[in-house]
Amino acid sequence: MIFRQLFEPVSCTYSYLIASRRGGEAMILDPVLEKVDRYLQLMRELDLRLVKAVDTHLHADHITGLGALRDRTHCITVMGEQSGVDVVSMRVADGDRLQIEGVSMDVIYTPGHTDDSYSFHMQDRVFTGDTLMIRGTGRTDFQNGDPRAQYESLFGRLLRLPDETLVYPAHDYKGDTVSTIGEEKAFNPRLQVKSADEYAALMNSLNLPNPKMMDVAVPANMRQGLHQAEVARRGWAFSARNAQELVGRPDVALIDLRETCERERHGVIPGSLHAPYPDLQASIGGGLLHELAGTGKRLLFYCAFGERSAMAVQAAQDAGITTARHIEGGMAAWKKAGGTTR
Ligand SMILES: [Fe+2]
């Protein structure tokens, strides 16, 4: 396995680059905008292809690298289903698996620091975001934070992992890099409480100043989506309502870009073909999509929210498939417009 812990010193953020092999797919957790060049250089050096960029939660102390990484690598951007962030092209929920080639993580919903906080558990280690930190826990006094929810996330979920599980947080302000569940149970001062009430009283007495970057970072992190507006401006988008008239027409090939787990959970538009987004370039270059376009079919892409499909339209147009379009807003908009699914 390739595993790199990367540090951004202004916000003391740790980002994690993970891949199963050189030359394979990679994912990055909690990337920071200012470090995007560094991540891309490292991935070039290790011959990795970024397919997923994940934020554990909406950050208040730095601007996320998700939007820049999406623009420069066309990767899938991932957050939890509670997230209102517009850049997100795939949303995960508790119990899901977050996968790339050779790597699979269990998705654990761990609210409390924010209401969109997630942890990711993989083999011998867990990425805890700002839920569990080394000898600390993430503050719960803004961004819909809730100390009682965090108590449950800690004691009901994370601390039930085996004691030897390695703990990799999203931040450390003292220079520690890794801990274990057993070590945190024994020595983390925030965890030496007997009840949720006691934990809430402790967290509510902290009186911390707001992060310096908060007024900049939160609005910036909420709005990173650009592709859909640009694709619509070029006339390459159909509203979900208009798309309903195209479905079933013999000259239209409806293409679902989502992953199998998303299709199973949210259903599919009847009659659509499946071409997962990570394999898009190969499919356009000489696979299914290339063949469909060659037979004169008009390609109509869709995904969960329209982010991946907007990038797919751009990629297809770049490859000379001028009839490529997408459904703006994706499956979410389709369902809202009363479109049928199965
Ligand atoms: Fe945070």
Side-chain angles (χ1 to χ4, degrees):
M1 186 174 73
I2 295 171
F3 177 76
R4 294 285 185 280
Q5 183 177 34
L6 299 150
F7 185 59
E8 193 287 310
V10 176
S11 58
C12 293
T13 300
Y14 286 127
S15 309
Y16 300 94
L17 179 67
I18 302 146
S20 63
R21 64 177 179 93
R22 268 180 176 266
E25 294 182 353
M27 108 164 95
I28 193 163
L29 296 184
D30 288 327
V32 179
L33 178 62
E34 284 78 6
K35 287 285 177 182
V36 162
D37 284 337
R38 170 67 189 135
Y39 308 143
L40 293 172
Q41 179 195 16
L42 181 58
M43 284 186 270
R44 273 194 305 276
E45 289 165 353
L46 299 178
D47 190 21
L48 298 175
R49 182 167 74 94
L50 185 67
V51 296
K52 286 187 179 152
V54 185
D55 267 349
T56 52
H57 63 286
L58 176 67
H59 295 286
D61 59 346
H62 66 267
I63 298 179
T64 176
L66 254 57
L69 286 168
R70 171 208 56 191
D71 290 346
R72 292 174 66 179
T73 70
H74 301 132
C75 66
I76 297 170
T77 48
V78 184
M79 287 184 77
E81 65 180 358
Q82 291 77 7
S83 168
V85 176
D86 69 351
V87 69
V88 174
S89 59
M90 178 178 182
R91 286 183 166 82
V92 291
D94 189 67
D96 280 355
R97 294 182 86 84
L98 179 62
Q99 292 177 311
I100 60 166
E101 175 205 359
V103 176
S104 178
M105 295 194 194
D106 291 322
V107 176
I108 310 174
Y109 180 42
T110 49
H113 171 58
T114 64
D115 60 0
D116 68 348
S117 287
Y118 276 77
S119 299
F120 300 95
H121 179 221
M122 169 186 142
Q123 299 162 7
D124 63 344
R125 61 199 63 198
V126 60
F127 302 95
T128 53
D130 289 359
T131 301
L132 176 60
M133 291 148 95
I134 300 173
R135 308 300 190 264
T137 56
R139 62 192 296 176
T140 54
D141 57 338
F142 60 70
Q143 287 189 284
N144 300 319
D146 178 346
R148 285 184 171 76
Q150 191 170 57
Y151 178 87
E152 188 48 41
S153 296
L154 291 162
F155 287 88
R157 306 298 300 273
L158 295 177
L159 299 183
R160 293 191 176 182
L161 294 171
D163 277 356
E164 60 276 16
T165 308
L166 298 169
V167 172
Y168 284 102
H171 296 286
D172 192 89
Y173 305 97
K174 309 169 300 294
D176 289 323
T177 55
V178 61
S179 181
T180 66
I181 290 291
E183 214 178 297
E184 291 310 309
K185 268 188 202 162
F187 304 116
N188 188 323
R190 299 257 176 96
L191 303 182
Q192 313 310 313
V193 292
K194 301 232 160 18
S195 66
D197 285 345
E198 195 184 333
Y199 186 73
L202 170 66
M203 295 307 286
N204 289 337
S205 68
L206 295 176
N207 290 322
L208 299 165
N210 281 345
K212 286 191 214 76
M213 284 281 284
M214 187 165 161
D215 294 340
V216 177
V218 171
N221 288 339
M222 289 296 292
R223 284 189 299 278
Q224 298 265 324
L226 297 166
H227 279 95
Q228 292 202 60
E230 181 58 22
V231 162
R233 199 184 61 76
R234 296 184 181 196
W236 296 340
F238 284 104
S239 70
R241 196 168 294 285
N242 290 339
Q244 291 182 28
E245 290 154 27
L246 295 173
V247 170
R249 282 177 50 157
D251 61 331
V252 173
L254 188 61
I255 313 290
D256 184 357
L257 297 166
R258 296 170 304 159
E259 301 191 1
T260 302
C261 63
E262 298 176 274
R263 289 160 55 87
E264 285 169 356
R265 189 142 61 87
H266 299 292
V268 301
I269 300 176
S272 55
L273 301 166
H274 187 207
Y277 178 81
D279 305 325
L280 180 74
Q281 285 299 344
S283 192
I284 287 175
L288 173 72
L289 299 179
H290 179 80
E291 278 174 30
L292 284 170
T295 61
K297 295 253 194 201
R298 297 152 65 192
L299 303 185
L300 180 60
F301 294 111
Y302 76 97
C303 60
F305 308 104
E307 282 281 327
R308 279 170 280 182
S309 56
M311 291 193 286
V313 169
Q314 185 68 59
Q317 294 280 346
D318 291 347
I321 303 174
T322 56
T323 60
R325 302 287 186 273
H326 85 130
I327 302 178
E328 199 164 25
M331 195 63 163
W334 177 264
K335 285 187 176 172
K336 220 177 191 173
T340 52
T341 61
R342 64 159 174 78

